[in-house]
Amino acid sequence: MNDKINSIGEAASNAANDIFFDKTTSFFSWIKTFLTWENLFRLIGSLLILFIIWLAFRLIAKAIRRVPESKLPAQRAAIVVKFLRYICYVVIVLYVLGLFGINLKAIWGAAGIAGVAIGFAAQTSVSNLISGLFVLTEGSIHVGDTIIVGDVTGIVDEVKLLSIRVHTFDNQMVRIPNSTIINSNLTNNSYHNKRRWTVKVGVDYSTDMNLAIETLKKAPALCPTVLKDPEPTVWFDGFDSSSINLVVAVWFKPADFLQTRNDIHIAIKKVLDEAGISIPFNQLDVKIKNA
């Protein structure tokens, strides 16, 4: 009985060894058939093509980064470089798949079906992505700009394909989807290099109008951040119930907004006080009758 078991074990072992040697021999035979001069040149050529694709991307990216800031803002250049990098990756993957004889038509078909499914599942993201392309190409927002979108006012920190990030004046981070920017009214206080601020001033009806206008024209000269070009102006704005209204308009750089706003109010009050011109305010007369 033991001799029979031993003979069966030896037969199984011999069979396993024969299968192993056959597979090993077949593998080395396949390696030998693969290691030919033709395949070697094909491998070298493929690596050379991949290197050329990578080198072309690096040269194009370097050229884009060297474009002056006035013609291509840094944030837009970064987006363009990132987009080209993705294209480079896709080209390399498709080329490698083609080398292995994979049917690219089937892949494109599957990608199309998957794209439709993903598009329905992520309509919001796709909408933000398309809106982001419009935001980037339109150039209405740049990093560092002070913008107003809906009830959000803040300074732009990042402009991306899906959203922009701003920090408010109380230092809170707010993420605004690009679709919201496209579908809403956007106010960019930093888009132009000059900005105007107007202050409505009411004077008493007994005031000489010429004196009031000449007095208010002195106020902008007391504000160091007010620009001389365009020149500050003062005009008559109409009659109110208890005052005659005038408007003082000054121009300044967007970065000087808060200082200019404070300085011009202080200056207006100072010149009016020096000229003896009063600003009317509501008064309440209380009469007490004895019972």
Short mmCIF file of all heavy atoms in Angstrom, two decimals, residues 7 22 34 42 44 50 100 151 173 208-209 270 273 278:
data_model
loop_
_atom_site.label_atom_id
_atom_site.label_comp_id
_atom_site.label_asym_id
_atom_site.label_seq_id
_atom_site.Cartn_x
_atom_site.Cartn_y
_atom_site.Cartn_z
N SER A 7 4.52 5.67 -5.30
CA SER A 7 4.58 5.72 -6.77
C SER A 7 3.65 6.80 -7.32
O SER A 7 3.98 7.51 -8.27
CB SER A 7 4.24 4.35 -7.36
OG SER A 7 2.91 3.99 -6.99
N ASP A 22 8.13 22.84 -18.93
CA ASP A 22 7.51 23.20 -20.21
C ASP A 22 7.13 24.68 -20.24
O ASP A 22 7.37 25.39 -21.23
CB ASP A 22 6.26 22.34 -20.46
CG ASP A 22 6.63 20.88 -20.77
OD1 ASP A 22 7.79 20.65 -21.15
OD2 ASP A 22 5.74 20.00 -20.62
N PHE A 34 10.86 37.68 -28.75
CA PHE A 34 10.60 39.12 -28.58
C PHE A 34 11.88 39.93 -28.73
O PHE A 34 11.86 41.05 -29.26
CB PHE A 34 9.98 39.36 -27.21
CG PHE A 34 9.67 40.81 -26.94
CD1 PHE A 34 8.57 41.43 -27.50
CD2 PHE A 34 10.50 41.56 -26.11
CE1 PHE A 34 8.30 42.76 -27.27
CE2 PHE A 34 10.24 42.90 -25.88
CZ PHE A 34 9.13 43.49 -26.45
N ARG A 42 12.15 49.20 -32.49
CA ARG A 42 10.80 49.72 -32.25
C ARG A 42 10.69 50.29 -30.84
O ARG A 42 10.07 51.35 -30.63
CB ARG A 42 9.78 48.60 -32.44
CG ARG A 42 8.33 49.06 -32.31
CD ARG A 42 7.38 47.91 -32.52
NE ARG A 42 7.52 47.35 -33.87
CZ ARG A 42 6.88 46.27 -34.29
NH1 ARG A 42 6.07 45.62 -33.46
NH2 ARG A 42 7.05 45.84 -35.53
N ILE A 44 13.19 51.53 -28.99
CA ILE A 44 13.97 52.77 -28.96
C ILE A 44 13.20 53.90 -29.63
O ILE A 44 13.15 55.04 -29.14
CB ILE A 44 15.34 52.56 -29.62
CG1 ILE A 44 16.17 51.56 -28.80
CG2 ILE A 44 16.08 53.89 -29.75
CD1 ILE A 44 17.47 51.19 -29.45
N LEU A 50 8.13 59.33 -27.17
CA LEU A 50 7.63 59.78 -25.87
C LEU A 50 8.48 60.92 -25.32
O LEU A 50 7.95 61.88 -24.74
CB LEU A 50 7.60 58.61 -24.89
CG LEU A 50 6.60 57.50 -25.18
CD1 LEU A 50 6.76 56.36 -24.18
CD2 LEU A 50 5.17 58.03 -25.14
N PHE A 100 0.54 48.59 -27.85
CA PHE A 100 0.15 47.25 -27.42
C PHE A 100 -0.98 46.66 -28.26
O PHE A 100 -1.50 45.60 -27.94
CB PHE A 100 -0.25 47.27 -25.95
CG PHE A 100 0.91 47.39 -25.01
CD1 PHE A 100 1.30 48.63 -24.52
CD2 PHE A 100 1.63 46.27 -24.63
CE1 PHE A 100 2.37 48.74 -23.65
CE2 PHE A 100 2.71 46.38 -23.76
CZ PHE A 100 3.09 47.61 -23.28
N ASP A 151 -24.28 88.80 -2.07
CA ASP A 151 -24.05 89.43 -0.76
C ASP A 151 -22.63 89.18 -0.25
O ASP A 151 -22.35 89.40 0.93
CB ASP A 151 -25.06 88.90 0.26
CG ASP A 151 -25.00 87.40 0.42
OD1 ASP A 151 -24.36 86.74 -0.42
OD2 ASP A 151 -25.63 86.87 1.36
N MET A 173 -12.95 82.79 4.55
CA MET A 173 -12.81 82.26 3.20
C MET A 173 -14.18 81.90 2.63
O MET A 173 -14.97 81.22 3.29
CB MET A 173 -11.90 81.03 3.20
CG MET A 173 -11.50 80.54 1.79
SD MET A 173 -12.73 79.52 0.96
CE MET A 173 -12.62 78.00 1.88
N ASP A 208 -25.29 130.75 1.29
CA ASP A 208 -24.99 131.25 -0.05
C ASP A 208 -24.46 130.10 -0.90
O ASP A 208 -23.46 129.46 -0.56
CB ASP A 208 -23.94 132.37 0.05
CG ASP A 208 -23.65 133.01 -1.30
OD1 ASP A 208 -23.18 132.28 -2.21
OD2 ASP A 208 -23.88 134.21 -1.45
N MET A 209 -25.12 129.80 -2.01
CA MET A 209 -24.77 128.62 -2.82
C MET A 209 -23.37 128.72 -3.40
O MET A 209 -22.62 127.73 -3.43
CB MET A 209 -25.80 128.44 -3.93
CG MET A 209 -27.17 128.01 -3.40
SD MET A 209 -27.10 126.42 -2.54
CE MET A 209 -26.51 125.35 -3.82
N LYS A 270 -14.51 119.77 8.09
CA LYS A 270 -13.56 120.81 8.51
C LYS A 270 -13.76 122.11 7.73
O LYS A 270 -13.85 123.19 8.33
CB LYS A 270 -12.13 120.30 8.31
CG LYS A 270 -11.07 121.31 8.73
CD LYS A 270 -9.67 120.74 8.56
CE LYS A 270 -8.62 121.75 8.99
NZ LYS A 270 -7.23 121.22 8.84
N ASP A 273 -17.04 123.85 8.69
CA ASP A 273 -16.96 124.51 10.00
C ASP A 273 -16.17 125.80 9.91
O ASP A 273 -16.54 126.82 10.53
CB ASP A 273 -16.31 123.57 11.02
CG ASP A 273 -17.22 122.41 11.40
OD1 ASP A 273 -18.44 122.50 11.11
OD2 ASP A 273 -16.72 121.41 11.96
N SER A 278 -23.50 125.46 8.19
CA SER A 278 -24.04 124.39 9.02
C SER A 278 -24.70 123.32 8.15
O SER A 278 -25.24 123.60 7.07
CB SER A 278 -25.06 124.95 10.02
OG SER A 278 -26.16 125.55 9.33
#
